[in-house]
Amino acid sequence: MNAFFIAGTGTDLGKTHVACALLRAARARDLSVDAFKPVVSGFDPAAPEVSDPARLADALGRPNDWARVSPRRYRAPLAPNLAARAEGDILRMADLVADCRTWLGSRAVDLALVEGAGGVMSPMTDEATNLDLMVALGLPVLLVAGSYLGTASHLLTALEVVRARGLAVAAIVTSESLDAPNLDQTIEMLRAFERATPIVAAPRAAEWDAAPLVELLLG
């Protein structure tokens, strides 16, 4: 099984957009896939169909399976630890790690994706960040960046932090930001500073074909 952790250099950059396109492209090659987002905040139980878990479930071909994709769901659009606390819950890193390991251990698929919440250094619990979860799982990282002005600094900083903790970065995906500089020019600039890892463009178009990314990750 090929498993990857989808992380972002920040919040709302398109992690789920990239994950969904990757899942659909892999399924188009008749590969078996699955996805897991261990915790999600900003979840409206009255409209689950617009949530990230529902989008991932739809990309898996199981549109009603969003509860299994994300077992820990909180209403407030806050960092997961704060959103959990607003509902009288306390998130613990040991529990999140156990959830992910149990899920990974029960998968027998060609491609498994674990999607984080927020950016690399976003708080997940009162004492740990998204990066701590990534390190505990030790999966190769698919790092999603934006294309806005300033993304180079955020991406290069995230790369330094991730690599300093001993994690491998399998690929970088530059997700197109709205009202941002030209996507191709942004990628050309990023490649001048990061030559060790492939950088793939992810246009915001819903029909974006992630087949080249599947080929890159799975061969």
Side-chain angles (χ1 to χ4, degrees), residues 21 27 29 42 49 56 76 120 133-135 141 146 152 154 162 168 186 212:
R27 289 178 60 211
R29 287 180 49 175
E49 68 279 0
L56 290 167
V120 167
L133 176 60
M134 295 160 62
V135 171
V141 176
H154 296 164
V162 168
T186 298

Side-chain angles (χ1 to χ4, degrees), residues 5-16 18 115-123 129-131 134 141-163 169 171-177 186 190 194 197-200 204:
F5 193 104
I6 298 189
T9 62
T11 302
D12 292 331
L13 295 180
K15 292 191 304 298
T16 304
V18 171
E115 183 182 323
V120 167
M121 295 301 293
S122 294
T129 66
N130 210 35
L131 181 60
M134 295 160 62
V141 176
L142 184 61
L143 187 58
V144 179
S147 65
Y148 53 85
L149 186 64
T151 197
S153 176
H154 296 164
L155 171 60
L156 296 176
T157 300
L159 281 171
E160 289 284 342
V161 170
V162 168
R163 288 170 174 161
V169 181
I172 296 165
V173 180
T174 304
S175 178
E176 185 176 20
S177 303
T186 298
L190 294 175
E194 174 52 41
T197 304
I199 301 177
V200 178
R204 277 286 177 168

Side-chain angles (χ1 to χ4, degrees), residues 44-144:
D44 183 358
E49 68 279 0
V50 300
S51 68
D52 286 350
R55 292 170 62 197
L56 290 167
D58 185 68
L60 292 169
R62 309 195 310 259
N64 297 319
D65 215 16
W66 48 265
R68 292 187 183 182
V69 171
S70 290
R72 298 176 187 268
R73 304 176 300 276
Y74 302 102
R75 295 172 183 253
L78 302 169
N81 60 323
L82 300 180
R85 189 182 302 156
E87 297 185 27
D89 198 4
I90 297 176
L91 284 179
R92 295 178 175 85
M93 183 53 62
D95 295 333
L96 296 178
V97 172
D99 289 349
C100 292
R101 286 179 175 165
T102 298
W103 182 83
L104 287 165
S106 63
R107 299 306 96 180
V109 295
D110 297 310
L111 175 65
L113 302 179
V114 177
E115 183 182 323
V120 167
M121 295 301 293
S122 294
M124 292 286 278
T125 73
D126 291 341
E127 299 177 345
T129 66
N130 210 35
L131 181 60
D132 293 310
L133 176 60
M134 295 160 62
V135 171
L137 298 178
L139 300 176
V141 176
L142 184 61
L143 187 58
V144 179

Side-chain angles (χ1 to χ4, degrees), residues 24 29 41 43 80 93 97 117 124 167 179 195 199 207:
R24 291 192 177 99
R29 287 180 49 175
S41 55
F43 180 87
M93 183 53 62
V97 172
M124 292 286 278
L167 293 171
D179 300 321
R195 298 182 176 90
I199 301 177
E207 64 274 14

